[in-house]
């Protein structure tokens, strides 16, 4: 399995979990071309699986160039599966310079990759529709991201009014809107608390974090907001989730993806407020989450409903717990193995029993 190991890429975590679950050799892309190529050909395999995110091989342009070339080379050795962790559309690039050029570059790269790839994997129906309709790809399978098993006591309602954001701290996460929502809720919920937990990976995003901290000061939220700006251990994440009454993910971007954070935390059963964006299209509104436009008023209404309606909070919690069981890493690994077997049987009878 070929994937980035960069801590700033969400796919690095999920790729490692999948590789462990299916028993695959993981070859990281974060090295020189010579070292990477040596590792690829040293581990001759019956099937090759590339985990592709926007910067899998370094910068975006470099990654879009290497992906079809690598797929072409590997296709002479065995079946090649390419998992797409995200897709761009013109809507998702609406605030970027040269958006049509960037969109065209992605389409040409993935279409060229499709000439050599045996199959593609995406994580939601929305992604499949975009891959087939916008990008013209074929042989696209939908396999969800995996989820960890629920810990003991998952779904218990804490005696707090703590809202938690967890993930990389970036402008497209909508945290400025979430801070304003917390400010609006101080009157109705005087003891409301917000914990913003995560880290800044790219140096150019540090200014965004500083801006959030200045916003907290300017809007008088210092008693209500705590920042945990670091990589959290599994134990620290568990402690954070046990104390959370609401998980808030108010993303503003329009990239066609799914949220690895949702799958990672679903097993804790913390009721979720998320934005009405493609990233959360796999979740059923009112069953697994409350969806809101990423604006302060709408976010505040969603958070207040969860804090003041115990039956709703319990229902949303149970919805996420069900998803964590249906999308467990064991189930996800089994679906990948089934796909691998199917592709290897079609490739050559000699490989039929390899996985």
């Amino acid at each position: 399995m070929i994937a980035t190991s960069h801590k700033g890429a969400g796919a690095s975590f999920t790729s490692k979990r999948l590789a462990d679950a299916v028993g695959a050799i993981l070859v990281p892309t974060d090295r020189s071309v010579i070292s990477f190529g040596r590792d690829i050909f040293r581990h001759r395999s019956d099937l090759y699986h590339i985990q592709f995110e926007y910067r899998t091989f370094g910068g975006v342009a470099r990654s879009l160039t290497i992906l079809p070339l690598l797929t072409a080379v590997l296709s002479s050795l065995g079946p090649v599966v390419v998992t797409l962790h995200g897709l761009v559309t013109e809507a998702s690039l609406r605030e970027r310079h040269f958006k049509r050029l960037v969109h065209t570059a992605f389409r040409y790269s993935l279409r060229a990759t499709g000439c050599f790839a045996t199959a593609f994997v995406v994580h939601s129906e929305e992604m499949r529709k975009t891959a087939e309709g916008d990008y013209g790809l074929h042989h696209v399978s939908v396999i969800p991201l995996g989820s960890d098993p629920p810990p003991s006591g998952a779904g218990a309602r804490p005696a707090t009014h703590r809202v938690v954001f967890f993930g990389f701290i970036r402008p497209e996460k909508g945290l400025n809107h979430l801070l304003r929502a917390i400010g609006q809720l101080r009157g109705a919920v005087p003891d409301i608390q917000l914990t913003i937990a995560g880290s800044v990976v790219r140096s150019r995003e540090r200014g965004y974090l500083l801006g959030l901290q200045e916003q907290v000061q300017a809007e008088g939220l210092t008693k209500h907001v705590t920042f945990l700006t670091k990589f959290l251990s599994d134990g620290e994440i568990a402690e954070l989730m046990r104390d959370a009454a609401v998980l808030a993910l108010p993303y503003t971007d329009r990239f066609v993806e799914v949220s690895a954070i949702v799958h990672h935390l679903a097993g804790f059963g913390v009721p979720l407020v998320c934005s009405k964006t493609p990233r959360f299209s796999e979740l059923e509104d009112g069953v697994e989450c409350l969806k809101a436009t990423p604006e302060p008023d709408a976010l505040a209404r969603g958070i207040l409903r969860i804090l003041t309606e115990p039956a709703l909070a319990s229902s949303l919690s149970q919805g996420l717990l069900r998803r964590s069981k249906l999308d467990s890493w064991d189930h996800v690994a089994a679906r990948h193995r089934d796909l691998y077997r199917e592709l290897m049987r079609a490739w050559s009878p000699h490989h039929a029993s390899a996985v």
Side-chain angles (χ1 to χ4, degrees), residues 12 50 77 89 100 127 131 150 187 201 225 323:
S12 63
I50 302 172
L77 304 176
T89 62
R100 288 187 179 177
M127 293 184 73
V201 176
V225 179
R323 174 169 287 274

Side-chain angles (χ1 to χ4, degrees), residues 174-186 194 215 219 221 295-297 299-300:
L175 293 173
N176 52 322
H177 302 307
L178 181 58
L179 288 175
R180 292 193 180 96
I182 296 300
Q184 291 182 17
L185 289 169
R186 284 177 295 183
L194 169 64
Q215 182 181 346
E219 298 181 11
L221 294 172
E295 299 170 353
D297 291 351
L299 293 170

Side-chain angles (χ1 to χ4, degrees), residues 284-291 312 315-316:
E284 186 175 352
D285 190 14
V287 177
E288 298 165 315
C289 64
L290 284 185
K291 293 186 179 181
L312 173 64
S315 176
L316 295 176

Side-chain angles (χ1 to χ4, degrees), residues 2-72:
I2 300 164
T4 180
S5 60
H6 193 279
K7 287 186 176 181
S12 63
F13 171 78
T14 56
S15 299
K16 185 178 186 307
R17 292 302 305 271
L18 179 60
D20 291 342
V22 300
I25 297 169
L26 186 61
V27 178
T29 60
D30 313 282
R31 55 186 61 201
S32 70
V33 173
I34 294 175
S35 297
F36 173 67
R38 186 184 301 121
D39 282 351
I40 288 289
F41 291 104
R42 184 168 64 233
H43 300 298
R44 289 294 297 270
S45 302
D46 294 322
L47 179 143
Y48 298 88
H49 192 161
I50 302 172
Q51 301 283 337
F52 185 73
E53 204 171 29
Y54 310 112
R55 300 173 183 270
T56 293
F57 301 102
V60 172
R62 175 186 169 94
S63 296
L64 292 178
T65 302
I66 290 177
L67 177 63
L69 295 176
L70 177 62
T71 307

Side-chain angles (χ1 to χ4, degrees), residues 219-254:
E219 298 181 11
L221 294 172
T222 53
K223 294 182 179 179
H224 299 274
V225 179
T226 302
F227 288 90
L228 290 176
T229 52
K230 64 174 186 175
F231 280 100
L232 272 63
S233 68
D234 289 344
E236 289 172 322
I237 293 171
E239 182 178 354
L240 182 68
M241 290 299 108
R242 279 195 295 268
D243 195 37
V246 182
L247 175 64
L249 300 175
Y251 295 16
T252 60
D253 69 69
R254 305 292 301 178

Side-chain angles (χ1 to χ4, degrees), residues 141-294:
S141 297
V142 178
I143 303 179
L145 285 177
S147 294
D148 293 314
S152 60
R157 188 166 173 81
T160 72
H161 289 148
R162 183 173 299 280
V163 180
V164 168
F165 166 87
F166 178 69
F168 294 123
I169 298 173
R170 292 171 176 161
E172 60 268 24
K173 299 303 178 75
L175 293 173
N176 52 322
H177 302 307
L178 181 58
L179 288 175
R180 292 193 180 96
I182 296 300
Q184 291 182 17
L185 289 169
R186 284 177 295 183
V189 189
D191 63 340
I192 193 167
Q193 295 290 316
L194 169 64
T195 299
I196 296 176
S199 58
V200 175
V201 176
R202 301 169 189 159
S203 58
R204 61 183 173 82
E205 294 168 345
R206 297 189 188 281
Y208 178 66
L209 173 59
L210 292 175
L212 294 175
Q213 293 169 335
E214 291 172 359
Q215 182 181 346
V216 168
Q217 294 284 341
E219 298 181 11
L221 294 172
T222 53
K223 294 182 179 179
H224 299 274
V225 179
T226 302
F227 288 90
L228 290 176
T229 52
K230 64 174 186 175
F231 280 100
L232 272 63
S233 68
D234 289 344
E236 289 172 322
I237 293 171
E239 182 178 354
L240 182 68
M241 290 299 108
R242 279 195 295 268
D243 195 37
V246 182
L247 175 64
L249 300 175
Y251 295 16
T252 60
D253 69 69
R254 305 292 301 178
F255 292 103
V256 185
E257 307 176 359
V258 301
S259 172
I261 293 296
V262 168
H263 285 265
H264 186 43
L265 301 181
F268 291 100
V270 179
L272 170 65
V273 172
C274 62
S275 51
K276 294 179 179 178
T277 57
R279 185 184 300 270
F280 303 106
S281 64
E282 62 174 339
L283 301 178
E284 186 175 352
D285 190 14
V287 177
E288 298 165 315
C289 64
L290 284 185
K291 293 186 179 181
T293 54

